[in-house]
């Protein structure tokens, strides 16, 4: 329901703000389909002095279907991502036009997750001196806010 969605985003952003206020980086794994949720996240970033970047994960439709079907077969898998909802989610998605290019990165996730995450780390400049990532590449694959300095 829309009430559940709003409560979920409110809780995610409250937790993110607490962590950012303590100097931590935050990566939020959520669809951020609606501009209002992205703008709320941007406000959290502004209040806490954090850098914000929407990572829009993309892969071909046949790969999405394959992954969803494989997920259904795994014991203990929990997700509201089901093939029958993909068309509805695409239609509901609001393009992130409210974000300037430096705050939006489209990521091809067709390849190995570690490779995709590595590209994100490099593109966003998250590698520390000596080439080590400041955050786990797997964590960097999907998310939203990073604490600066």
């Amino acid at each position: 329901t829309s009430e559940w969605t709003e409560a979920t985003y409110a809780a995610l952003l409250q937790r993110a703000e607490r962590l950012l206020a303590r100097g931590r980086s935050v990566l939020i794994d959520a669809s951020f389909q609606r501009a209002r949720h992205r703008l709320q996240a941007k406000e959290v970033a502004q209040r806490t002095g954090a850098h914000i970047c929407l990572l829009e994960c993309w892969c071909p439709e046949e790969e999405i279907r394959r992954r969803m079907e494989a997920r259904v077969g795994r014991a203990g898998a929990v997700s509201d991502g089901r093939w029958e909802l993909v068309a509805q989610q695409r239609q509901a998605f609001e393009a992130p036009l409210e974000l300037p290019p430096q705050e939006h990165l489209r990521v091809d996730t067709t390849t190995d997750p570690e490779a995709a995450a590595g590209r994100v780390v490099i593109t966003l400049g998250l590698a520390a001196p000596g080439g080590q990532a400041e955050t786990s590449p797997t964590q960097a694959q999907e998310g939203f806010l990073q604490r600066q300095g």
Side-chain angles (χ1 to χ4, degrees):
T1 67
S2 62
E3 293 83 15
W4 177 256
T5 299
E6 294 305 317
T8 299
Y9 276 97
L12 284 171
L13 294 174
Q14 285 173 357
R15 184 167 186 215
E17 188 160 6
R18 282 194 306 270
L19 292 168
L20 288 165
R22 291 192 300 206
R24 304 282 309 270
S25 291
V26 178
L27 300 161
I28 303 172
D29 182 1
S31 66
F32 283 96
Q33 290 184 59
R34 303 278 185 216
R36 75 175 171 276
H37 296 133
R38 295 187 298 262
L39 289 171
Q40 289 168 351
K42 189 169 182 166
E43 290 168 4
V44 167
Q46 290 170 340
R47 283 194 301 269
T48 60
H51 169 76
I52 186 168
C53 186
L54 170 67
L55 302 180
E56 182 183 351
C57 298
W58 175 91
C59 69
E61 192 167 297
E62 57 274 5
E63 180 63 12
I64 295 170
R65 182 191 272 286
R66 186 194 69 73
R67 291 176 184 179
M68 288 182 164
E69 288 172 355
R71 185 184 304 149
V72 169
R74 283 195 302 249
V78 177
S79 174
D80 60 357
R82 296 185 308 278
W83 180 250
E84 56 272 15
L85 299 177
V86 169
Q88 178 184 348
Q89 290 172 332
R90 277 200 184 110
Q91 187 174 7
F93 183 76
E94 298 171 3
L97 302 176
E98 75 283 354
L99 297 175
Q102 68 272 20
E103 294 178 355
H104 176 213
L105 178 61
R106 191 164 193 237
V107 182
D108 183 347
T109 60
T110 307
T111 61
D112 172 67
E114 292 293 321
R119 288 192 304 275
V120 168
V121 167
I122 290 167
T123 302
L124 295 180
L126 299 176
Q132 295 297 315
E134 293 178 6
T135 184
S136 149
T138 301
Q139 290 175 329
Q141 184 179 354
E142 298 176 335
F144 210 68
L145 306 172
Q146 181 201 2
R147 181 75 180 148
Q148 291 191 348

